Amino acid sequence: QVQLIESGGGLVQAGVSLTLACVGSGDKFSNYAIGWFRQSPGKKREFVAAISWSGASTYYSDSVKGRFTISRDNAKNTVYLQMKSLNPEDTAAYYCAADIARKNGGSIYLGEYDYWGQGTQVTVSS
């Protein structure tokens, strides 16, 4: 069992930066690939970014590539999502998820993630 807790969301103006954190429980957290997803009202949950168990490999959706950076600190059981140049289209609830089967990560499919956090809301005003 893995518990994930997201934090760092908030209400910000367009153009600013924000960093989300995903803290995981258990001593096997460092073995898992972690993904970030987001969901806006009325829309499907979509892939944002993912990182392999070691942090050596990272993956991004086209909509955030070049603006968002995913990283991890396994000593702290934490994965970060640094978001720059935020715009109103980035407004969503952001969720982190653990993929226990694919250590090198990269899956964009929700169904391949086994554990999910409760989400943190990011609202970007224009």
Side-chain angles (χ1 to χ4, degrees):
Q1 189 77 12
V2 177
Q3 290 187 324
L4 304 172
I5 300 176
E6 304 95 335
S7 65
L11 173 62
V12 297
Q13 290 189 326
V16 304
S17 300
L18 198 63
T19 298
L20 307 182
C22 170
V23 178
S25 64
D27 57 3
K28 294 184 178 179
F29 179 84
S30 60
N31 290 344
Y32 305 144
I34 300 295
W36 281 98
F37 291 76
R38 66 186 182 185
Q39 187 169 19
S40 304
K43 294 187 177 180
K44 293 182 179 180
R45 192 169 297 189
E46 64 175 2
F47 171 79
V48 175
I51 190 166
S52 64
W53 69 278
S54 66
S57 299
T58 57
Y59 311 86
Y60 299 94
S61 67
D62 288 342
S63 62
V64 307
K65 194 174 298 182
R67 298 190 299 123
F68 290 13
T69 302
I70 190 170
S71 62
R72 69 189 300 160
D73 183 343
N74 284 340
K76 297 182 178 180
N77 274 14
T78 303
V79 171
Y80 302 97
L81 184 68
Q82 183 181 26
M83 307 183 293
K84 296 182 178 179
S85 302
L86 285 164
N87 58 64
E89 288 70 40
D90 296 315
T91 295
Y94 284 72
Y95 301 87
C96 65
D99 180 351
I100 65 173
R102 286 159 285 274
K103 294 183 65 172
N104 288 322
S107 177
I108 65 172
Y109 301 108
L110 280 69
E112 293 186 346
Y113 288 82
D114 305 279
Y115 299 101
W116 291 82
Q118 293 300 306
T120 186
Q121 179 67 35
V122 174
T123 302
V124 184
S125 64
S126 59

